Amino acid sequence: MSCPRCGADSPSWCKDCERLYDTWVRDHATDILWQTGSGAAVAMIVGLGAPLLGLSPLLGIAGVLVGFGTFISLRKWSNLRRRQQFLTSSVPRAYLPNHSS
């Protein structure tokens, strides 16, 4: 397998491309705000809504787990989306590091 960005021989992303991605993705650090906000909103709706509707308080506790699952799912999806975005819109291949031996 080779690096999907520069074609270097590595198991996934090479060290140089990973470092460039880490620098680039910092411009999108506020992504975590909407992800945690969505998870908290789901936790509040389920956690507070279930007991208000007369359901078991245990469903309210489960709401926290559902909210956390929402956050984790959105985080993974966003990370995959940002990787794809980086591959299509970053530095042109002419500026990539030379990995020839």
Side-chain angles (χ1 to χ4, degrees), residues 21-101:
Y21 171 74
D22 287 340
T23 303
W24 178 83
V25 81
R26 290 173 199 268
D27 291 339
H28 306 284
T30 57
D31 280 354
I32 195 140
L33 296 176
W34 69 268
Q35 296 160 5
T36 55
S38 298
V42 168
M44 286 175 26
I45 290 170
V46 175
L48 296 174
L52 286 176
L53 293 174
L55 301 173
S56 170
L58 291 176
L59 287 176
I61 295 169
V64 174
L65 298 175
V66 172
F68 181 71
T70 301
F71 162 69
I72 293 297
S73 299
L74 289 174
R75 186 80 182 139
K76 285 185 164 216
W77 174 76
S78 181
N79 285 342
L80 289 173
R81 186 174 58 96
R82 288 292 179 205
R83 288 244 181 211
Q84 288 302 318
Q85 192 177 32
F86 177 70
L87 286 174
T88 59
S89 67
S90 64
V91 179
R93 293 188 67 79
Y95 294 103
L96 293 173
N98 187 6
H99 290 287
S100 60
S101 299

